[in-house]
Amino acid sequence: IGYFQAAEGGTLFLDEIGEMPEAMQAKLLGALQSGYTVVGETQRRPLKCVVVAATNRGDVGMKHDVRQRFGVLVVAPSLAERREDIAQMMACLLLRRAAENTEFAAKFLETDASGQPHVRVDASLVAGLLRTRLPGNLRELDSILGMAIDQARGEPPLRWPARVPFPQPAPLEIRKEPTHHSADVLIEGLERRPAPTEPPKIVHAPDESVGSGARPLPSKERVLEALNATQWRFKKAADVLGITTDALFRLRDKYGLRED
């Protein structure tokens, strides 16, 4: 029994299809278009399964006509494009390791006030993961966590692995403060200017902000208050401040804040 026959009534997942030789892709195309032939038979059997394929090479290495046989294309964004998911993915991978390793769970796993389990990590690990580009996506994230676990030697919390250079923070966008003139200068300018034919347009200078929104930059005291109120849990503190976790880490470095 081949894979197509075994998957009848279900789903056949073809991983790394971009690595498949073109000759094999030609056979796959025939199966997708008109069914498959079991060894020892002469009649084609209809394909009775859903076929899903994955590749990290895009269209490179994949025959164009094979690509067209797949009706739906799903492009998964890289971790660099969805940095807000990194902390949650880190927690998921660590909890999976704890479920598979009782010794690791006994030393690093704890339960918070709400009854939710989590692995004890240092802020340096979270900050490093948020700052690094992670070109290897989930595999690289899991590899860094593995190095952090090896480095800890059974002593929580997990910290950024020393063998990996700690990435520098992305610089905050600095916007020049608007220039304010005295009332005398403004009045003098109005006296010399001819009366406008239509009401002048008022243009407001943008506030200094974190990211691309218009929210003002939280003060050092406000950031410290939010961190202390949430016991330095950066995700919760960021929610309180109404900013992203990455922005909170940059503010912590900007203000030189450290947990006592």
Side-chain angles (χ1 to χ4, degrees):
I1 296 179
Y3 287 121
F4 287 116
Q5 189 174 357
E8 186 170 322
T11 301
L12 177 62
F13 176 55
L14 305 175
D15 198 9
E16 302 294 354
I17 192 175
E19 307 296 333
M20 182 182 292
E22 286 197 4
M24 185 65 70
Q25 289 192 38
K27 295 181 179 181
L28 173 62
L29 177 61
L32 295 175
Q33 291 183 152
S34 54
Y36 62 95
T37 304
V38 176
V39 175
E41 296 183 358
T42 58
Q43 298 295 323
R44 285 186 175 271
R45 297 190 180 194
L47 210 59
K48 296 183 179 179
C49 65
V50 175
V51 181
V52 179
T55 177
N56 60 3
R57 298 178 60 182
D59 290 335
V60 178
M62 192 172 178
K63 287 176 64 66
H64 175 73
D65 42 5
V66 174
R67 160 68 185 86
Q68 298 305 317
R69 296 306 302 176
F70 290 91
V72 178
L73 174 64
V74 178
V75 179
S78 65
L79 279 182
E81 298 175 84
R82 48 190 173 118
R83 312 199 69 83
E84 65 275 10
D85 293 340
I86 291 177
Q88 186 174 2
M89 288 185 175
M90 177 198 71
C92 179
L93 291 173
L94 290 176
L95 289 176
R96 181 184 299 176
R97 286 177 179 264
E100 297 172 349
N101 189 325
T102 55
E103 183 179 354
F104 174 74
K107 294 182 178 180
F108 290 89
L109 194 65
E110 63 181 16
T111 304
D112 60 21
S114 63
Q116 295 295 323
H118 62 87
V119 175
R120 297 174 60 186
V121 299
D122 182 73
S124 65
L125 181 59
V126 182
L129 290 173
L130 290 175
R131 291 177 182 178
T132 190
R133 293 181 57 83
L134 291 173
N137 294 298
L138 198 60
R139 288 185 178 92
E140 184 176 358
L141 173 59
D142 194 42
S143 176
I144 292 176
L145 294 179
M147 288 187 282
I149 292 173
D150 292 340
Q151 175 180 273
R153 299 184 182 276
E155 295 294 331
L158 298 177
R159 304 179 186 277
W160 181 261
R163 72 177 76 172
V164 182
F166 193 76
Q168 295 299 315
L172 283 172
E173 181 182 358
I174 300 177
R175 300 184 179 181
K176 186 178 180 181
E177 291 292 334
T179 302
H180 298 284
H181 300 285
S182 66
D184 293 338
V185 174
L186 293 177
I187 294 174
E188 182 181 357
L190 289 174
E191 291 174 346
R192 295 179 180 178
R193 187 180 307 159
T197 57
E198 59 181 22
K201 296 181 179 179
I202 300 176
V203 179
H204 297 280
D207 292 327
E208 183 180 8
S209 60
V210 178
S212 59
R215 187 184 300 275
L217 189 70
S219 65
K220 177 180 179 180
E221 293 73 16
R222 179 68 181 123
V223 172
L224 183 60
E225 178 185 358
L227 288 171
N228 289 332
T230 58
Q231 299 180 345
W232 285 73
R233 299 187 186 278
F234 284 82
K235 179 64 172 67
K236 293 183 178 180
D239 292 339
V240 171
L241 295 169
I243 60 178
T244 65
T245 309
D246 195 19
L248 177 56
F249 279 116
R250 286 185 284 168
L251 287 176
R252 182 200 62 176
D253 294 338
K254 175 183 175 69
Y255 294 143
L257 301 177
R258 292 293 182 270
E259 186 176 7
D260 295 333

